[in-house]
Amino acid sequence: MDAVAELIEMTLVINGVARETRGRIEVEDPATGQVFATVADATLADLDDAFAAAAAAQPGWAARSHADRVAMLRDVGRRLEEHTDELASLLTHEQGKPLANARGEVGTVLRWIAALSEYDLEPEVIERTEEKIVELRREPIGVIAAITPWNVPLGLASWKFVPALLAGNTMVLKPSPFTPVATARLGELVADILPPGVLTVITGGDELGAAMTQHPIPRKVTMTGSVETGRKVSVAAGRELKRVTLELGGNDPAIVLPDADVADIAPRLFTAAFANNGQVCTAIKRIYAHDDVYEELVAALAAIAAETVVGNGFDDGVRLGPLANEAQRDRVEMLVDDAARNGARVASGGRRIDRDGYFYEPTIVADLSSGTELETQEQFGPALPVIRYRHVDEAVERANAGDYGLGASVWGTDTDAAAAVAGRLEAGTVWVNAHLALSPTLPFGGHKHSGLGVENGRLGLHEYTRVRVVHLPITKPGTV
Ligand code: NAD
């Protein structure tokens, strides 16, 4: 185990200069329940200074060539790679994920930098006549406010700062108060590569996030988190007509068809549901399994859950860590207890684990009554409901019920038939015989209340630009 000898204390760095703050936020290690670090609780004056620095830096950053910005982002990637062990350790301490997964998360940041750096933002000719050409140019928006959640702190930050900076914007980035440490360290590590003010990490509570959305300087807010917060961000940003990109919650369904090969898919379904202990926006949150394969699937998933090693993410062989915070553990517990009280069968797990920290057994819940909250709400934790259906229309209807529409998948041996069912699902991403496969080159966004706009891919990069249409006359030889 990687014990922290001394409390880690992070300082704010604004405009390239470290500054003291009186207020501190204590950060717990969810595997022990002990405070292992503190970060600055930034004031509104700190926020003003951060936005002022971002505004001052933006024109110079935008005036650099795209190749220059790419080169600096690649330097950022190299610096972060050199510090993989340190950043991964901070992630495991603050979020709970096993160290190998935390290293994978640092790898995500590097992959995002590498892939998005390949895109250019050259003007496009969109109309050409004998008299004129019309170009579409993509310009930076200006200063961006970015707000991230606690499940994948560095990975989701990179989905924002990489495209925003590549497109010539500057950014003030606020991580979740539950997991601010690795992101604050990222801010320190890149401070001597990027010009002051280009990327500022500011730490504080939810109210600091709210202040960011109301601040006059940023022209866009990009936020990943819950639907409830997304709604508040959208309202606040709307008052000043700021642009928004919102990546919000999901309650992703997976439909298992009667011809599915249960032995083959059960481990893959389990992985896609329990990745990061179920704390992934587009993890499988509910399975609809046909009656023909239902009992076999429940038994297979329950067997995998029972043998899954849960523990401190620094210990060897651990597959799932704790929940990332106490409130989330309590929520998962409440949802499972509620399902059981309403007649559901807990096929595996179903209890908190009796040790320090916020651990909960990997849990498979079968035979839920219709309308149970474990089916209709996002649990965001290690408790997977498996729901029986007899006709595929019933599965599609239940999968599409509710306001979420992030991801969805269909599993079966006849992939054409599975694809036809997938075509009926209301979600921003649908998979056949897969789930949770994300990549820097694939646009990702939610339908319905799961989000506004997309991140990733060329479309995601374009969301950090505003469009200018330029009409240019063609001068004919001999004319003036
Ligand atoms: P959250 O909404 O509580 O917090 C997210 C961030 O918003 C935090 O930094 C928080 O401090 C800030 N915030 C809180 N109130 C605010 C306000 N009024 N104005 C501005 N900012 C405010 O979410 P969470 O609990 O940290 O994360 C879990 C949620 O995030 C889940 O619903 C999950 O599905 C979702 N999520 C979505 C995606 C995606 O890409 N769609 C990815 C990961 C997580």
Side-chain angles (χ1 to χ4, degrees), residues 211-460:
M212 291 170 79
T213 62
Q214 291 155 19
H215 200 278
I217 288 182
R219 292 309 308 148
K220 168 167 176 142
V221 184
T222 172
M223 175 263 178
T224 300
S226 60
V227 172
E228 196 188 336
T229 305
R231 201 174 271 124
K232 290 181 193 159
V233 169
S234 186
V235 168
R239 280 192 204 106
E240 287 301 318
L241 298 178
K242 298 181 200 300
R243 291 158 194 251
V244 289
T245 297
L246 301 174
E247 293 290 359
L248 306 178
N251 190 16
D252 285 16
I255 296 180
V256 177
L257 298 174
D259 69 344
D261 177 348
V262 169
D264 175 48
I265 67 170
R268 294 195 282 136
L269 288 166
F270 187 88
T271 300
F274 288 82
N276 203 26
N277 221 1
Q279 302 164 115
V280 179
C281 52
T282 189
I284 294 176
K285 306 269 169 61
R286 48 197 171 126
I287 293 180
Y288 296 96
H290 190 270
D291 195 34
D292 289 356
V293 288
Y294 185 80
E295 290 301 342
E296 189 188 353
L297 182 63
V298 169
L301 291 170
I304 299 169
E307 69 191 21
T308 296
V309 180
V310 180
N312 189 311
F314 286 107
D315 292 345
D316 287 341
V318 164
R319 180 166 179 194
L320 301 182
L323 275 297
N325 53 66
E326 187 174 14
Q328 197 56 31
R329 194 271 316 273
D330 291 353
R331 175 173 167 74
V332 171
E333 182 176 61
M334 182 272 287
L335 288 169
V336 174
D337 290 353
D338 170 74
R341 257 197 318 277
N342 286 292
R345 164 167 58 111
V346 178
S348 187
R351 284 187 309 252
R352 62 167 74 179
I353 299 174
D354 184 20
R355 57 182 283 175
D356 289 341
Y358 310 121
F359 291 90
Y360 195 84
E361 293 173 339
T363 297
I364 304 296
V365 183
D367 300 335
L368 278 79
S369 312
S370 173
T372 303
E373 284 199 339
L374 186 57
E375 176 189 3
T376 60
Q377 306 290 311
E378 180 187 38
Q379 70 277 48
F380 218 61
L384 178 66
V386 188
I387 296 149
R388 191 192 304 263
Y389 74 87
R390 291 192 172 76
H391 193 281
V392 73
D393 289 345
E394 178 197 340
V396 169
E397 189 182 321
R398 286 175 83 163
N400 285 338
D403 288 331
Y404 291 109
L406 196 56
S409 59
V410 183
W411 302 69
T413 306
D414 178 345
T415 52
D416 289 341
V421 177
R424 298 169 62 192
L425 297 177
E426 295 170 11
T429 303
V430 291
W431 292 270
V432 170
N433 292 338
H435 203 112
L436 201 52
L438 302 173
S439 136
T441 54
L442 304 179
F444 175 73
H447 289 187
K448 300 196 277 185
H449 289 187
S450 285
L452 283 179
V454 296
E455 294 192 296
N456 308 333
R458 195 180 279 281
L459 285 180

